[in-house]
Amino acid sequence: MELREHIDELMPRARADLADLVAIRSVADPRQFPPAECERAANWVVDNFAQVGFTGLGLHETSDGSKAVFGVRPGTDPSAPTVLLYAHYDVQPPLDEKAWRTPPFELTTVNGRWYGRGAADCKGNIVMHLTALRALGPDVPVNLKLIVEGSEEQGTGGLEDFVTRNPDLLRADAILVCDTGNAAVGLPAATVTLRGLVNVVVEVQSLGGELHSGMFGGAAPDALAALIQILSTLRDRAGNTTIAGLENEQTWLGAPYPPIQFRADAGLIDEARLLGDGTVSDMIWARPAVTVLGIDCPPVVGSAAAIQPLARARLNLRVPPGTDAVKAQDALIAQLHAAAPWGVRVSVTPEALGQPFEARTGGPAYEALASAMRTAYGREMTTLGQGGSIPLCNVFADTYPDAEIVLMGVEEPQALIHAPNESVAPSEIANLALAEALFLQRYRR
């Protein structure tokens, strides 16, 4: 196929593009990295999409201070539908750089995969867009719009607010949200559901200050032990999330996630058991899941024989489709207060909230994508859930109720997004670039 051959020829350039992007430390947190790095990434996007025919490209400041790149490219057929291409140029921080086997901001090839922070999430998707458009050249029948945001990983809502304030600017018939991925390398999929999220910080106080554990231990309440007891009520012995008023027996009706594959993808140690009473698909796509993201308490090294007066934890609750995130937040906060032992003082600060999402499928965009994926991969496209959250999808759905929202991308499980040693399979960039190019050729209203 001529188009596939063209993409194969473009893959060295795709690697060079990704190397340039990965080298830009675009973490959208000025406490950790200079804001100028994000601006560098945004300008890189402007420069490179100008080369594939986009005009009116510019940086639009959003309400959280981040800058989104927007541009347009008219199609060869004025009556053709409009497709909005989405990605984000900001990345997660590298976390513990000692845990990386390769430099996090230097694209490195190991065993055929390309390693580096953002290689998959989401700079790999930016490169996928570019590769598809370079392969098509001037022959793009649909009208295109581009939006690449700069604070997705921070969850501060800059682009969500921008969409609601500028609805006509981003209006489209189909929206390709390229920030998810396939079930595995070589297994094409569209993501059709996303869990929402609730983030809170819970603080427990029991004393006015630290006390000697020998002199006061046994009668004086320990804030850290109280916090541990509160957190223990959020899961049962099987690992099911147990929050009063929150259903936890939903089932997933789509493609299954084989336990053996999940164990390998997650890197479970041999002795570790899978959590919950449901299938893997049930637990990660259809049911709520609470995670303790962090705890403020004394580290082991340097700790004293003292009763702790204060302890805090940051919690993340994933909310499945069919459950309202506000009600889930209320239920979580109520349980944290109700579970407090010994009369300790508990305060809970909401930090972030996003509703779950379920795509409307079966329209011409999904039909065109299924056809394109079948050609690109040589097998049928499946549909998946996604345990992560993309609140922007709900904003798109509310603002453009007639648009088809398609979630796809290069971020399959081996990519280890948000973790050390993030990587991308070059074949996923190539196959998805081909699928996107074919989609843009085949999509009609």
Side-chain angles (χ1 to χ4, degrees), residues 93-437:
L95 304 176
D96 181 7
E97 294 199 25
K98 294 180 181 178
W100 284 77
R101 295 187 293 271
T102 62
F105 294 109
E106 179 182 326
L107 194 68
T108 308
T109 302
V110 179
N111 295 327
R113 293 182 69 93
W114 297 344
Y115 284 77
R117 177 55 89 217
D121 182 19
C122 181
K123 292 174 176 179
N125 289 307
I126 294 174
V127 170
M128 181 266 289
H129 285 317
L130 282 169
T131 304
L133 293 168
R134 285 177 178 142
L136 287 170
D139 183 23
V140 182
V142 297
N143 301 293
L144 294 177
K145 294 181 179 181
L146 174 75
I147 189 72
V148 183
E149 70 170 309
S151 61
E152 193 275 342
E153 299 293 8
Q154 298 300 311
T156 44
L159 187 59
E160 288 92 318
D161 178 72
F162 183 80
V163 171
T164 59
R165 291 175 183 272
N166 301 274
D168 290 334
L169 192 67
L170 300 181
R171 193 175 304 279
D173 300 291
I175 302 173
L176 298 190
V177 179
C178 293
D179 193 16
T180 60
N182 290 336
V185 173
L187 298 180
T191 299
V192 296
T193 67
L194 298 167
R195 289 192 293 194
L197 66 85
V198 170
N199 282 0
V200 302
V201 174
V202 55
E203 181 174 283
V204 176
Q205 184 172 11
S206 60
L207 302 166
E210 293 184 357
L211 296 175
H212 190 287
S213 62
M215 296 177 64
F216 296 94
D222 178 337
L224 182 53
L227 176 62
I228 291 169
Q229 187 162 320
I230 293 168
L231 298 181
S232 72
T233 71
L234 301 177
R235 287 184 183 267
D236 63 19
R237 290 183 62 84
N240 298 294
T241 291
T242 50
I243 297 173
L246 201 58
E247 185 183 353
N248 67 350
E249 296 181 348
Q250 302 95 315
T251 56
W252 172 254
L253 301 178
Y257 197 152
I260 292 176
Q261 181 185 337
F262 179 81
R263 292 186 69 92
D265 291 342
L268 268 67
I269 62 173
D270 292 341
E271 299 84 357
R273 298 192 300 272
L274 296 177
L275 299 183
D277 296 329
T279 67
V280 171
S281 301
D282 295 338
M283 300 305 296
I284 65 172
W285 297 333
R287 299 184 182 182
V290 68
T291 301
V292 181
L293 301 180
I295 294 182
D296 285 342
C297 61
V300 170
V301 177
S303 57
I307 302 170
Q308 295 304 311
L310 189 71
R312 297 196 309 163
R314 184 171 181 241
L315 308 180
N316 168 254
L317 174 64
R318 298 289 173 168
V319 182
T323 300
D324 181 73
V326 174
K327 293 181 179 178
Q329 176 179 270
D330 292 344
L332 173 60
I333 292 173
Q335 180 151 323
L336 293 172
H337 283 286
W342 317 321
V344 298
R345 184 182 302 155
V346 173
S347 61
V348 183
T349 304
E351 187 181 65
L353 184 144
Q355 294 288 355
F357 170 79
E358 188 165 6
R360 177 171 51 84
T361 61
Y366 270 88
E367 291 176 2
L369 179 67
S371 170
M373 289 283 207
R374 187 185 309 118
T375 303
Y377 281 88
R379 60 195 307 164
E380 294 296 327
M381 181 184 82
T382 61
T383 56
L384 302 176
Q386 169 68 266
S389 305
I390 308 177
L392 177 65
C393 288
N394 297 89
V395 177
F396 279 148
D398 292 341
T399 309
Y400 313 116
D402 295 328
E404 289 186 75
I405 301 171
V406 177
L407 289 92
M408 54 183 278
V410 302
E411 304 165 20
E412 42 73 39
Q414 291 183 56
L416 296 180
I417 64 172
H418 292 206
N421 302 304
E422 179 181 350
S423 67
V424 68
S427 61
E428 289 293 275
I429 294 178
N431 285 332
L432 284 163
L434 177 58
E436 181 170 300

Side-chain angles (χ1 to χ4, degrees), residues 61-79:
E61 185 161 349
T62 70
S63 59
D64 64 7
S66 65
K67 294 178 180 177
V69 178
F70 174 78
V72 297
R73 176 177 166 173
T76 55
D77 179 0
S79 66

